[in-house]
Amino acid sequence: MQEKIEKILEEARERIHEAKELKELDEVRVAILGKKGKITEIFKAMSSLSKEEKKQIGPAANKARNEIEKRISQRLAELKERAKEIQFEKETIDVTEPGKKFSLGVKHPITQTIEEISQIFMSMGYSIAEGPQVETVFNAFDALNSPKNHPSRDLTDTFYINENICLRPHTSSVQIRTLQSQKPPIKVISPGRCFRCDTPDATHSPMFHQVEGLIVDEGITMADLKGTLDTMAKRLFGAATKTKFRPHHFPFTEPSAEMDVSCFKCGGKGCNVCKGSGWLEILGCGMVHPKVLEVGGIDTEKYTGFAFGMGVERIAMLKYGVDDIRLFYENDMRFIDQFK
Ligand code: PHE
């Protein structure tokens, strides 16, 4: 029996030493110290021994069991320590590793142009008004003093949903919505999408953008209109820019004008951008027609106002030298990436 104990001890020492995982170590513990373990078997077998033998085997078995228990707990501590080290190693961050590259997108040039124009007017105290792209014919035409026979109302010019609803052909309909919902002093711009039955070519698109402007207050004159739009032109195209107002006609303004800016490329000498004239047509504008103010219930004896509307694509094309409007809608990244 003495020999058997020696053998168990030897086996235990070896297996404990070689255990690489907590689970393996536990298996050794069960096999040796467990209910049916080898040392336990020795204790059980002792009942059949003589008194003399018991005196010898008892202490030897106890000693063996103590040693095994001690070794197991030592090994357990070692394995736990190692597991921690492994975890630490796994969790180390290599601060020298290069970061993941991600490419930053770019705002669409039309968005950029709208934001630039909006910034200019916001710095002059204008706020932004919004209106729907699907609009009543009343807001798009009638309320803007457009006679029933005005060519722009034709089916060949405007997209109609039905008799009373259309896709707005200009942002001027937001003038009506603003006049009906705000009281003077009114000072708004309204950027947005518009639609007209145009066949796409280098300068036309059935969908395009405008920025509308409207100001109504006491004592507003044509001089305010000219000062405001001249300031905008200088901010948008450079401080040396000159402006010129040509008489024009719009049903909703009286008097009406179109504003030209001196060509920012040649400074007015004449080049390919301005087609030799030295001037670029930028927007339509005028003093708000009293009939339009009346739609908003505004006292036309007390208040006057001016309004303007400009094509965003046209301005972006001039500013960035884009020669075909369709490029804006193709979403070709090689084009859009140039506006970083
Ligand atoms: N709505 C006009 C257009 O689309 C522009 C405009 C707006 C003119 C406001 C005068 C006043 O051409």
Side-chain angles (χ1 to χ4, degrees):
M1 203 158 290
Q2 186 74 41
E3 245 172 60
K4 220 176 171 184
I5 293 173
E6 282 299 326
K7 257 194 162 169
I8 294 170
L9 199 51
E10 228 168 80
E11 183 201 336
R13 283 181 188 137
E14 197 173 315
R15 284 183 66 185
I16 291 167
H17 182 69
E18 277 170 8
K20 297 237 151 44
E21 279 174 51
L22 297 175
K23 195 173 149 244
E24 219 179 316
L25 188 65
D26 201 53
E27 277 165 14
V28 179
R29 186 188 60 76
V30 171
I32 298 188
L33 303 174
K35 261 189 196 166
K36 287 179 185 164
K38 286 182 176 165
I39 285 284
T40 318
E41 295 296 334
I42 297 278
F43 282 112
K44 278 183 196 162
M46 260 167 41
S47 57
S48 60
L49 295 180
S50 67
K51 231 180 180 182
E52 271 312 298
E53 280 173 315
K54 272 184 194 162
K55 261 193 186 164
Q56 265 201 351
I57 301 302
N62 270 330
K63 213 179 136 209
R65 186 178 58 192
N66 289 345
E67 182 186 329
I68 293 167
E69 277 173 351
K70 206 172 138 202
R71 278 177 190 267
I72 285 178
S73 66
Q74 264 174 8
R75 186 69 185 146
L76 187 69
E78 276 171 29
L79 288 181
K80 277 189 177 163
E81 188 59 31
R82 262 200 55 194
K84 223 193 254 172
E85 272 166 23
I86 289 170
Q87 193 189 350
F88 283 160
E89 252 164 54
K90 262 197 215 153
E91 288 176 3
T92 342
I93 295 166
D94 179 1
V95 293
T96 66
E97 197 181 333
K100 283 191 188 124
K101 272 192 192 154
F102 63 96
S103 64
L104 204 55
V106 51
K107 280 185 187 166
H108 192 279
I110 293 302
T111 305
Q112 288 190 37
T113 307
I114 287 176
E115 285 182 357
E116 195 180 345
I117 297 168
S118 301
Q119 277 304 327
I120 293 171
F121 283 103
M122 276 171 4
S123 77
M124 294 195 257
Y126 285 71
S127 50
I128 310 264
E130 280 192 335
Q133 292 166 17
V134 181
E135 183 56 282
T136 60
V137 171
F138 178 80
N139 284 347
F141 295 114
D142 298 296
L144 286 163
N145 193 37
S146 292
K148 288 269 188 256
N149 64 352
H150 195 276
S152 66
R153 297 178 70 135
D154 203 275
L155 283 170
T156 56
D157 271 54
T158 297
F159 294 108
Y160 286 89
I161 307 288
N162 61 35
E163 233 176 276
N164 302 314
I165 311 275
C166 62
L167 300 186
R168 65 176 180 194
H170 50 188
T171 43
S172 298
S173 51
V174 186
Q175 283 190 43
I176 301 303
R177 289 176 173 272
T178 308
L179 290 169
Q180 287 177 337
S181 62
Q182 295 186 24
K183 289 205 159 19
I186 290 169
K187 215 173 165 186
V188 296
I189 55 160
S190 184
R193 198 165 281 176
C194 306
F195 308 83
R196 283 180 201 175
C197 303
D198 277 324
T199 305
D201 64 24
T203 52
H204 295 84
S205 161
M207 188 280 296
F208 59 99
H209 298 77
Q210 286 189 337
V211 177
E212 191 80 9
L214 172 69
I215 178 163
V216 179
D217 202 352
E218 282 180 63
I220 298 288
T221 69
M222 195 86 183
D224 299 307
L225 179 157
K226 290 179 80 174
T228 302
L229 295 178
D230 186 74
T231 303
M232 179 209 75
K234 288 184 164 57
R235 296 267 295 271
L236 203 53
F237 293 107
T241 307
K242 288 195 214 84
T243 53
K244 157 171 109 172
F245 292 79
R246 277 180 292 104
H248 199 76
H249 171 76
F250 297 105
F252 34 91
T253 45
E254 182 59 38
S256 304
E258 277 190 329
M259 183 178 88
D260 296 345
V261 296
S262 56
C263 180
F264 56 88
K265 192 174 176 198
C266 65
K269 284 193 210 80
C271 68
N272 60 328
V273 172
C274 58
K275 301 203 178 89
S277 75
W279 294 95
L280 302 164
E281 183 197 317
I282 287 298
L283 54 79
C285 57
M287 301 306 290
V288 183
H289 197 293
K291 282 196 178 157
V292 175
L293 292 176
E294 276 164 18
V295 177
I298 285 164
D299 180 353
T300 54
E301 290 300 316
K302 193 171 173 196
Y303 295 106
T304 49
F306 68 77
F308 56 87
M310 62 192 103
V312 177
E313 278 81 352
R314 175 157 169 81
I315 289 175
M317 285 170 82
L318 291 172
K319 242 182 106 95
Y320 299 117
V322 176
D323 58 8
D324 195 320
I325 195 172
R326 291 168 290 196
L327 287 166
F328 289 125
Y329 314 120
E330 283 170 357
N331 283 333
D332 185 333
M333 290 308 288
R334 289 168 302 181
F335 172 72
I336 296 183
D337 266 342
Q338 296 177 59
F339 295 89
K340 274 201 170 127

